[in-house]
């Protein structure tokens, strides 16, 4: 019987705190069939999408975004934590569960009017993705869609991204 992507994801109860089930994608990455299925499944979700460039945040957005960019012959633009990019950047500060974070991308990474696909491993609260959308739109780009391997529906990230097409391969109802 052929395995589904859910079969490759390791669920770890009570991590990082009691009551949370941590969905671990490293078990997907460590299996050649799992990795191939993950990339193919994400690509399948956006097969009808017209876009110019893929944007992904470090580090798991790189892991899933680059193979999709390679397969579809599209450029890939990395989004990094503050201070990691060498050229002139734009940045957005956003709230985390505890505190805040700043992400950046190169100011010249996108051209006005380009259609962007955001790729990441997981959508939880949607804060990182919302911050990326602000940066992309600030540079004149247009977010065509976001695709995630995993969605944690209980954290309502999709609500923050109401005006954007959101696709996920697997949706867990909880947190």
């Amino acid at each position: 019987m052929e395995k589904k992507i859910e079969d490759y994801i390791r669920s770890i109860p009570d991590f990082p705190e009691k009551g949370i089930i941590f969905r671990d994608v490293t078990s997907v990455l460590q299996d050649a069939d799992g990795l191939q299925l993950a990339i193919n499944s994400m690509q399948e979700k956006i097969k009808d999408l017209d876009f110019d460039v893929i944007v992904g945040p470090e580090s798991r957005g790189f892991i899933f975004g680059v193979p999709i960019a390679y397969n579809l012959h599209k450029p890939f633009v990395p989004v990094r934590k503050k201070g990691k990019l060498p050229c002139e950047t734009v940045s957005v500060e956003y709230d985390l569960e505890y505190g805040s974070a700043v992400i950046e991308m190169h100011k010249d990474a996108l051209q006005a009017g380009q259609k962007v696909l955001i790729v990441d491993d997981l959508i939880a609260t949607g804060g990182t993705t919302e911050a990326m959308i602000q940066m992309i739109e600030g540079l004149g780009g247009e977010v065509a869609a976001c695709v995630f391997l995993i969605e944690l529906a209980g954290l309502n990230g999709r609500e923050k991204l109401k005006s954007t097409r959101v696709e996920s391969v697997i949706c867990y109802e909880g947190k």
Side-chain angles (χ1 to χ4, degrees), residues 114-160:
Q114 278 189 310
K115 293 186 184 103
V116 176
L117 171 65
I118 294 174
V119 176
D120 205 359
D121 69 322
L122 180 136
I123 179 169
T125 65
T128 305
T129 305
E130 186 181 42
M132 285 190 289
I133 291 170
Q134 284 177 28
M135 276 194 300
I136 291 163
E137 291 176 346
L139 291 174
E142 175 192 321
V143 177
C146 304
V147 66
F148 305 95
L149 183 62
I150 299 170
E151 178 177 357
L152 302 179
L155 294 174
N156 301 316
R158 196 178 274 265
E159 288 300 304
K160 268 195 185 134

Side-chain angles (χ1 to χ4, degrees), residues 101-119:
V102 177
I103 53 174
E104 297 182 325
M105 66 193 290
H106 279 142
K107 194 173 189 175
D108 63 359
L110 297 175
Q111 307 308 312
Q114 278 189 310
K115 293 186 184 103
V116 176
L117 171 65
I118 294 174
V119 176

Side-chain angles (χ1 to χ4, degrees), residues 9 27 61 133:
I9 294 175
S27 50
I133 291 170

Side-chain angles (χ1 to χ4, degrees), residues 64-82:
F64 293 103
V66 169
I68 294 170
Y70 177 85
N71 289 343
L72 301 179
H73 196 75
K74 301 286 185 183
F76 179 83
V77 174
V79 170
R80 306 239 19 221
K81 294 178 179 109
K82 186 175 176 58

